[in-house]
Amino acid sequence: MAWTDPTDVLLVEDDEHVRLATSQSLRLAGLQTHSVDSAEAARAWLPPGFAGVVVCDVQLPGDSGLQLLQALKEQDPALPVILVTGHGDIGMAVEAMRDGAWDFIEKPFSAEHLVEVVRRALAQRRLVLENRRLKAQLGGGPADGLLGASAAMEQVRTLIGTLGPARVDVLIHGETGTGKEVVARALHAASGARGAFVAINCGALPESVFESEIFGAEAGAYTGANKRRIGKLEFAGDGTVFLDEIESMPMALQVKMLRVLQERSVERLGANTAVPLACRIVAATKVDLLGMAGEGRFREDLFYRLDVASIALPPLRQRRDDIPLLLGHFCAQAAERLQRPVPAWTAAQFAAWQARDWPGNVRELRNFAERWVLGLVAETPAPVPPTPAQPAALPQAPLDEALAAMERQWIVQALQESGGNIAKAGERLGLARKTLHDRIRRLGLDADAYRGS
C-alpha cells in the first residue's frame, strides 16, 4: 500500500524526558515516529494527507491537546488522534472521545499498551485511506462489487468500459451477491446518459401490478386508475432500466417485454398510441436462461433479444486473491460509519476466511465485515471441512516439501469431492481447468482414480 508519508506516528508531548522515552518505545516497535513539543508545532509539521496517527498529551503549553484534536478533525475527520491523559483528565478524555478522539491512554502507561493501541489505530487508518483511494480510482461510483485485481474482475471492468458508451442491451450472469446491480450502475455511469437509473426486481412485483408499473397506464385503464401513470420504462428517459431476476418475469409479460424491446416503444395500458423509448435495458439473472428456455419456462426469443452483450460475474470462491482487498474495504467502510476501530485479526483467522467458499459472495463478505467491526464474530470458520482422507498435521520439513505436500492434499480432496471432475475441482480450488490439469500431472495424480469416490 502506498503511503503519502513514511511517518507512522506524530507524537505531541511537552515533557522532554517523556517525549524521548515514548519516541524510543515506538521506534523500538518498528514505528516511524516524529515528535514535537506543542500543538502549534504539530499543526506546522503535519503534512497534507498524513497517513499515520497522532498521539497527543492533553495538557500542553499554548493550545491544549483537545484544541489540537478539534483542529485536526476539521481537516480530516477520519484521522486517529490518541489522547494521553493524567488521572484527573479521564472525564475530559471520555468527553473528547465523543468529539472524535480515537482512544485515550492514562498515565502511567506501559510501552506495550501504547504500541498495541497505536497499531490498531494505524490498521484502521490504512483501511480508511485505501478505501478513499479506491473510491477516487473508480470515480466515486458504486465500487463494492468491482474491487479486485484478479483477471476475472479486470475483464469485467474492461467490458464495462467497452459496453458502457455503446448503450446496447446487456445481460449480466452471476450468483446471488456477486454485485450484478453494481455492474448495472457502472454501465449506466459509463454510458454518460443523463436519464435515470431505474431498478426493478422482477421477482418482487406482484403480477397484478407488474404491467402498470413497467409500462404505465392511462386514467380509467383499470379500476382505481384515477390519473395517468408513467411506467418505469418511460420514466427512465435515456437512462438505464435494470431488470433484476429476469427469470422471475411472468410468461405472459415476457411476450409484451419482447415486443417493447423489438419496437423500442411502449403503450401504456388503455392508450392507443405508442411512446418511443430511449432507455437501455440491463437484465440480470442467477440461473441458466437458455436452459430454462429449453424447459419451456422462459421465452427463447426474449433471451436472445436481451443477450445482445453479456457480462459474467465470477463468484468469490473463484477470485480468492481479491478477498483481502474486499474485506479491508468493507471493514474500513463499517468502521467509518459505525465510528469504531477495526479489531485486529490473526494470520490464521485470515487464512481461514480466504479459504471459505462464501456462498453469499460479496454481499456475505460485506455483512461479515460489519459483524467483525461490531465484535459479533464468535469464532473462526475452518478453512476446509475435515474428511477421513485428510492426513494428520504435517511433520517438520523444508518449506518446499511442506508446501508440495499441502498442495497435493488439497488437490486430492477437491478431486474426491468432485468425483474426479477436473472442471468442478478447479472451481472448488479457484484454478483454471488447464492450470489444475498441469498440477495434477506434475504431482503424478490420476483424476480418473477418483471418479465415483
Side-chain angles (χ1 to χ4, degrees):
M1 181 179 302
W3 283 54
T4 57
D5 190 271
T7 302
D8 295 329
V9 184
L10 170 61
L11 174 65
V12 189
E13 170 61 63
D14 64 313
D15 186 307
E16 182 178 2
H17 298 293
V18 175
R19 186 170 67 250
L20 291 173
T22 305
S23 296
Q24 185 177 27
S25 297
L26 292 168
R27 290 191 179 107
L28 286 173
L31 299 167
Q32 298 297 319
T33 305
H34 180 81
S35 60
V36 295
D37 60 2
S38 68
E40 291 79 8
R43 284 198 293 268
W45 178 86
L46 202 67
F50 177 55
V53 303
V54 177
V55 176
C56 178
D57 195 357
V58 171
Q59 300 295 339
L60 293 170
D63 287 349
S64 69
L66 297 177
Q67 289 173 303
L68 178 60
L69 167 66
Q70 184 177 5
L72 296 182
K73 285 297 177 180
E74 289 176 358
Q75 295 176 16
D76 184 352
L79 175 64
V81 178
I82 301 166
L83 295 177
V84 179
T85 71
H87 179 70
D89 298 327
I90 292 180
M92 183 191 307
V94 171
E95 186 66 30
M97 289 189 68
R98 295 195 188 103
D99 294 336
W102 195 84
D103 203 346
F104 70 91
I105 300 175
E106 183 184 358
K107 295 178 181 178
F109 53 84
S110 67
E112 292 78 9
H113 179 55
L114 172 65
V115 169
E116 179 189 356
V117 173
V118 167
R119 287 196 188 282
R120 285 193 288 110
L122 277 171
Q124 179 181 351
R125 181 64 169 162
R126 296 178 188 184
L127 289 171
V128 168
L129 292 178
E130 179 66 4
N131 187 23
R132 289 179 181 173
R133 184 189 69 79
L134 291 166
K135 285 183 177 179
Q137 179 181 332
L138 294 165
D144 295 354
L146 296 179
L147 296 182
S150 62
M153 291 312 298
E154 288 292 346
Q155 183 178 8
V156 169
R157 283 192 286 268
T158 299
L159 283 171
I160 289 171
T162 301
L163 297 175
R167 291 185 56 78
V168 296
D169 294 341
V170 178
L171 182 60
I172 303 172
H173 302 264
E175 295 180 6
T176 296
T178 49
K180 295 186 287 294
E181 183 169 346
V182 174
V183 171
R185 290 183 180 276
L187 284 167
H188 175 69
S191 72
R194 289 184 290 181
F197 178 89
V198 179
I200 302 166
N201 189 318
C202 298
L205 276 179
E207 188 170 354
S208 58
V209 301
F210 195 102
E211 196 166 357
S212 61
E213 284 287 320
I214 303 299
F215 305 128
E218 295 289 348
Y222 55 88
T223 303
N226 299 320
K227 60 181 180 179
R228 173 183 290 177
R229 178 176 182 81
I230 302 299
K232 295 187 181 297
L233 292 175
E234 187 178 349
F235 172 77
D238 69 343
T240 302
V241 174
F242 174 56
L243 300 175
D244 197 11
E245 297 187 23
I246 187 68
E247 69 274 9
S248 302
M249 182 179 287
M251 289 291 287
L253 295 173
Q254 290 181 28
V255 179
K256 297 183 178 182
M257 180 60 70
L258 175 63
R259 180 174 178 82
V260 165
L261 295 180
Q262 288 174 339
E263 303 295 331
R264 284 292 161 178
S265 63
V266 61
E267 286 188 15
R268 306 186 197 103
L269 288 176
N272 295 318
T273 57
V275 178
L277 288 185
C279 64
R280 155 197 261 169
I281 302 295
V282 177
T285 181
K286 60 181 180 291
V287 302
D288 177 8
L289 286 184
L290 199 54
M292 284 184 64
E295 298 169 359
R297 296 187 294 123
F298 194 85
R299 290 189 63 92
E300 186 175 0
D301 46 6
L302 179 57
F303 165 76
Y304 286 118
R305 187 62 192 81
L306 291 168
D307 195 31
V308 177
S310 63
I311 296 177
L313 286 179
L316 202 51
R317 64 181 175 276
Q318 292 182 4
R319 54 182 188 113
R320 298 182 190 275
D321 290 346
D322 290 337
I323 290 177
L325 180 61
L326 284 163
L327 188 57
H329 171 73
F330 293 141
C331 282
Q333 279 188 330
E336 195 170 6
R337 183 175 64 258
L338 300 171
Q339 291 297 296
R340 286 172 173 255
V342 178
W345 50 62
T346 65
Q349 284 175 315
F350 201 88
W353 299 337
Q354 196 163 12
R356 281 183 64 176
D357 277 349
W358 300 102
N361 293 293
V362 177
R363 183 182 297 126
E364 182 185 359
L365 187 67
R366 181 172 57 242
N367 293 341
F368 174 83
E370 293 220 359
R371 294 197 304 275
W372 178 254
V373 172
L374 288 169
L376 301 178
V377 178
E379 59 185 48
T380 304
V384 180
T387 66
Q390 191 169 351
L394 289 171
Q396 291 187 349
L399 179 61
D400 289 343
E401 294 179 21
L403 290 175
M406 181 62 73
E407 180 184 23
R408 181 185 183 90
Q409 171 188 332
W410 279 51
I411 289 178
V412 166
Q413 180 173 332
L415 288 171
Q416 288 175 333
E417 293 177 355
S418 65
N421 186 310
I422 294 180
K424 290 183 179 179
E427 182 176 322
R428 174 70 178 83
L429 295 168
L431 295 174
R433 179 189 176 95
K434 183 179 184 305
T435 301
L436 178 57
H437 187 272
D438 291 343
R439 294 190 184 191
I440 289 173
R441 185 173 55 186
R442 173 169 55 80
L443 292 170
L445 297 173
D446 181 9
D448 291 337
Y450 299 93
R451 297 192 183 278
S453 62

